[in-house]
Amino acid sequence: MLHSIIGAITGENDRKKIRGTVVLMKKNVLDFNDLSASVLDRVHELVGQGVSLQLVSAVHADPSNGLQGKLGKPAFLEDWITTITPLTAGESAFKVTFDYDEEIGEPGAFIIRNNHHSEFYLRTLTLEDVPGHGRIHFVCNSWVYPADKYDTDRVFFTNRTCLPSETPGPLRAYRERELVNLRGDGTGELKEWDRVYDYAYYNDLGNPDRDPKYARPVLGGSVEYPYPRRGRTSRPPSETDPNTEGRLPLLMSLNIYVPRDERFGHIKMSDFLAYALKALVQFLLPEFEALCDSTPNEFDSFQDVFDLYEGFKVPDGPLLDKIKENIPLEMLKELVRTDGEGLFKFPTPQVIKEDKSAWRTDKEFAREMLAGLNPVLIRLLQEFPPESKLDPEVYGNQNSSITKEHIENHLDGLTINKALEKKRLFILDHHDTLMPYLRRINTTSTKTYASRTVLFLKDDGTLKPLAIELSLPHPDGDKFGAVSKVYTPAEHGVEGSIWQLAKAYAAVNDSGHHQLLSHWLNTHAVIEPFVIATNRQLSVLHPINKLLDPHFRDTMNINALARQILINAGGVVESTVYPSKYSMEMSSVVYKNWVFTEQALPADLINRGMAEKDSDAPHGLRLVLDDYPYAVDGLEIWSAIETWVEDYCSFYYKTDEMVEKDSELQSWWKELREEGHGDKKDEPWWPKMHTVKELIHTCTIIIWVASALHAAVNFGQYPYAGFLPNRPTISRRFMPEEGTPEYEELKSNPEKAFLKTITAQLQTLLGISLIEILSRHSSDEVYLGQRDTPEWTQDATPLKAFEKFGRKLADIEENIIKRNGDEKFKNRVGPVNMPYTLLYPTSEGGLTGKGIPNSVSI
């Protein structure tokens, strides 16, 4: 307001102008209670302390400014006071008018100073009719705090894309300085407004100050416990252990530091999810505990479990009161769907929607290894009996005790050798992962086995389980080998009940492997170092930053929340998954075998013997098992990503030499290997990053892991495991032995004996509440083939290639629907009548069991 009056008096208003539009979101849209911030901002406007913008020339350097781009005069956002902020969409458009200065020529960046009291989210700046250049667009997508919070000015660049060597001279120093700011200096406490990306070990999972039993080893930085790095939060060490970072109180969970622009967006349901998670842990857990203590802590029959989805009454009293007091109404509706009668109800998981008992069939048990929640583990059996890779010096003989007699009569007339030769035998093998930890795990409330499940490929393309081996460590010590027992299929009587339990123990192993390794380690944890290195080393102008950035959305935030309330000592994962307090330590031991290049889907399938190279086959691979839904859909998605990445990278890198000479790219790759995955820095398998081909392959793997692989192992959690008897996460007692009361109970009441063995009532309620939250899509999710900013680059060729990628993904959706409707593919729908849609690219919000978000965002 003041600026307009001054302009009128001095005649400034008569000069040539460039008009622009700034789109931003005021803070008070997000925070209805922050009235004082809104009032103070208006006061600052009245006294001339508004939001100023200065254009930076891309063509003319200023000798007095160290040859950096020449700066235009400050211009101010107009009508801040009178622009009424819409409370729904949240974004407001403001006019800004710059004096045109011929010495600026083409603007390549702008500096913004926020002289207000509170921050705002800056979306875009668009300049119209810039002489000689027309329309110029800046994509910002960043929180801008009051200027006194920053040591250097905030600078934003146009949506041009250029390699470091192609950066206009006047912008080079700005480009470099922005990266220096994002790296920080590795010291000091990081505050909410900081934008620093830095590395730390996983030394914040334990809480020794609370109790020595909550101490946990530091993961990362040692030969014993290697691990990917996480984002540094800079909290002081705990009082009792200088190597463990102090923890935030639970109430402050949402305040854990992540760089400001990595925090959840305003309409993202994950904001709400974060609160839901907190509410779940903080308020519901103790009360569920009390409720389950006052009633026996067991389900007596499967009907008791079905009641969770049909509505179960929570008695009036402290639980209901606590819920009403502590959880906002709209969240309460989502979280517990109470109908006003105090009736709690979970949505019915798809696995029991059409048929309540089909999950118990051997056919469904086997199908879920190909089209379920963890379809990334089954492998071709290439030797019989199955062999262990554990060191016999330490662990004795750990080879399988499954014999020819156990299985040969069930191979449709084939001998074992013939079945091996024809590639008809498969195995789900948890033995070697679990055995080194099993003795310790069984000292907790968990009582479980290390399992191997051997399966046979039938003529109709389905698998049938032949035998399940359950092994325990030798009572006299590890070096005496394993004590194993083999179970074979049976349908009736006590043998049938024992077989159902054997499948449950195998499912418990698989659930833990899925949650800790397939899901947490192999997507969430391994991607975070890429997020950090990209922000530290690749400018926002860099083509590879622009390519990868959408695939990193919300990952640091969800991982920080996970460390605070899910994977921490005594957190939800330790309470609901069988390795208990050894969960994260076990994932560190498995990371020793992690190989970046084997995360590529074709390499993974070849590695597991599930595919062979074949230049005549689609995608250059022939599947050993044609009807393998995860692999069939996955290869189409992989191939589409790879083509898109190739089209994109080839536009910016015409020669291998351009890759080698790209200073930012080489710094990024070096830091990623030596810092982000520093415990793996000497591995020979890292791509050298000398060729365009290596760059394409690397980016394809990163995008695959962050999008499709994560979707395949995350969004099926509630559809398959929301009914816990199908995917139990804990076993609490061993297989009943003949002559014991437990064996008699198994004979007389098999359902009750089954439910007493697997996850207890409290952990079931907690577990399904958690996976229901984690299986939901937010309403503003951005899926593979989509971007939330249409003008993310001004280069037409990459934009066209991206459109082509979107069309290819739409074709893949059609193919998936067709395959799901084709009865010859028996593994796509199965006995539970549940089509495989986890790699269907798009979805609506909510609990859908389909959709591939761009990033590991939940």
Side-chain angles (χ1 to χ4, degrees), residues 77 89 101 122 162 179 201 223 254 256 270 304 416 431 445 518 530 549 605 669-670 686 782 792 800 844:
L77 290 192
D101 181 344
L122 182 62
C162 55
L179 285 174
Y201 300 137
V223 175
L254 304 183
I256 190 165
S270 305
D304 284 358
I416 286 184
H431 184 281
S445 56
S518 307
F530 288 92
D549 180 65
L605 293 170
W669 194 238
K670 182 177 193 295
W686 285 110
V782 186
W792 54 276
K800 280 203 179 75
E844 51 284 0

Side-chain angles (χ1 to χ4, degrees), residues 538-655:
L538 297 178
S539 160
V540 290
L541 291 163
H542 197 285
I544 301 304
N545 181 312
K546 283 189 173 16
L547 173 68
L548 296 178
D549 180 65
H551 303 290
F552 297 153
R553 170 178 143 150
D554 294 340
T555 302
M556 287 186 78
N557 202 158
I558 197 70
N559 286 3
L561 259 176
R563 297 196 312 273
Q564 186 63 17
I565 50 185
L566 298 182
I567 58 174
N568 57 305
V572 178
V573 166
E574 286 193 1
S575 311
T576 57
V577 178
Y578 73 85
S580 187
K581 68 179 190 178
Y582 299 107
S583 295
M584 292 301 288
E585 194 181 313
M586 236 175 85
S587 74
S588 150
V589 171
V590 171
Y591 175 66
K592 289 178 181 177
N593 300 320
W594 182 82
V595 175
F596 173 70
T597 47
E598 286 176 7
Q599 308 312 301
L601 179 62
D604 167 55
L605 293 170
I606 289 167
N607 214 15
R608 292 188 283 122
M610 302 300 285
E612 295 164 341
K613 284 187 176 169
D614 180 349
S615 52
D616 297 331
H619 322 297
L621 281 190
R622 188 169 48 76
L623 291 174
V624 166
L625 204 162
D626 291 334
D627 185 13
Y628 182 0
Y630 163 74
V632 173
D633 298 358
L635 283 169
E636 289 197 353
I637 300 282
W638 167 270
S639 178
I641 294 170
E642 188 175 47
T643 302
W644 149 238
V645 172
E646 186 175 349
D647 289 349
Y648 181 87
C649 290
S650 308
F651 177 75
Y652 295 103
Y653 295 93
K654 305 294 185 203
T655 64

Side-chain angles (χ1 to χ4, degrees), residues 121 446 587 796 803:
Y121 187 74
T446 295
S587 74
E803 273 176 34

Side-chain angles (χ1 to χ4, degrees), residues 403-677:
T403 64
K404 192 166 110 172
E405 287 68 36
H406 286 123
I407 67 171
E408 196 147 62
N409 290 340
H410 305 281
L411 302 179
D412 293 2
L414 298 177
T415 62
I416 286 184
N417 284 341
K418 206 72 187 149
L420 285 169
E421 190 189 310
K422 285 180 165 285
K423 298 186 170 27
R424 300 281 289 268
L425 288 174
F426 295 83
I427 186 169
L428 188 71
D429 191 344
H430 291 287
H431 184 281
D432 284 4
T433 305
L434 198 48
M435 191 49 96
Y437 273 88
L438 193 53
R439 195 183 299 278
R440 281 173 284 173
I441 288 169
N442 283 340
T443 63
T444 68
S445 56
T446 295
K447 299 291 174 271
T448 199
Y449 302 91
S451 69
R452 289 183 175 109
T453 304
V454 173
L455 305 107
F456 176 69
L457 176 60
K458 292 162 58 180
D459 291 337
D460 66 359
T462 62
L463 292 173
K464 70 172 178 188
L466 299 172
I468 294 174
E469 177 187 48
L470 301 178
S471 305
L472 287 170
H474 198 285
D476 296 336
D478 289 351
K479 63 178 183 292
F480 294 97
V483 178
S484 303
K485 198 161 176 190
V486 177
Y487 298 88
T488 53
E491 278 184 36
H492 305 293
V494 72
E495 290 79 14
S497 303
I498 283 174
W499 173 244
Q500 289 296 337
L501 275 178
K503 289 193 293 182
Y505 288 115
V508 166
N509 278 192
D510 201 57
S511 293
H513 188 288
H514 161 261
Q515 201 58 277
L516 296 170
L517 307 175
S518 307
H519 182 204
W520 167 260
L521 175 67
N522 288 339
T523 64
H524 285 259
V526 301
I527 280 292
E528 185 159 355
F530 288 92
V531 183
I532 300 170
T534 301
N535 282 282
R536 285 168 57 88
Q537 299 296 345
L538 297 178
S539 160
V540 290
L541 291 163
H542 197 285
I544 301 304
N545 181 312
K546 283 189 173 16
L547 173 68
L548 296 178
D549 180 65
H551 303 290
F552 297 153
R553 170 178 143 150
D554 294 340
T555 302
M556 287 186 78
N557 202 158
I558 197 70
N559 286 3
L561 259 176
R563 297 196 312 273
Q564 186 63 17
I565 50 185
L566 298 182
I567 58 174
N568 57 305
V572 178
V573 166
E574 286 193 1
S575 311
T576 57
V577 178
Y578 73 85
S580 187
K581 68 179 190 178
Y582 299 107
S583 295
M584 292 301 288
E585 194 181 313
M586 236 175 85
S587 74
S588 150
V589 171
V590 171
Y591 175 66
K592 289 178 181 177
N593 300 320
W594 182 82
V595 175
F596 173 70
T597 47
E598 286 176 7
Q599 308 312 301
L601 179 62
D604 167 55
L605 293 170
I606 289 167
N607 214 15
R608 292 188 283 122
M610 302 300 285
E612 295 164 341
K613 284 187 176 169
D614 180 349
S615 52
D616 297 331
H619 322 297
L621 281 190
R622 188 169 48 76
L623 291 174
V624 166
L625 204 162
D626 291 334
D627 185 13
Y628 182 0
Y630 163 74
V632 173
D633 298 358
L635 283 169
E636 289 197 353
I637 300 282
W638 167 270
S639 178
I641 294 170
E642 188 175 47
T643 302
W644 149 238
V645 172
E646 186 175 349
D647 289 349
Y648 181 87
C649 290
S650 308
F651 177 75
Y652 295 103
Y653 295 93
K654 305 294 185 203
T655 64
D656 292 342
E657 188 185 19
M658 289 177 77
V659 170
E660 281 197 83
K661 289 201 166 155
D662 180 340
S663 55
E664 284 183 8
L665 186 75
Q666 294 303 328
S667 298
W668 170 69
W669 194 238
K670 182 177 193 295
E671 182 174 287
L672 189 278
R673 293 189 328 268
E674 294 179 4
E675 298 275 345
H677 281 279

Side-chain angles (χ1 to χ4, degrees), residues 312-314 316 320 324 329 332-333 336-345:
F312 62 101
K313 188 94 169 84
V314 170
D316 279 332
L320 217 51
K324 285 175 183 160
L329 183 66
L332 192 62
K333 282 188 206 138
V336 288
R337 275 163 297 282
T338 164
D339 59 2
E341 296 299 308
L343 201 65
F344 279 57
K345 198 174 175 184

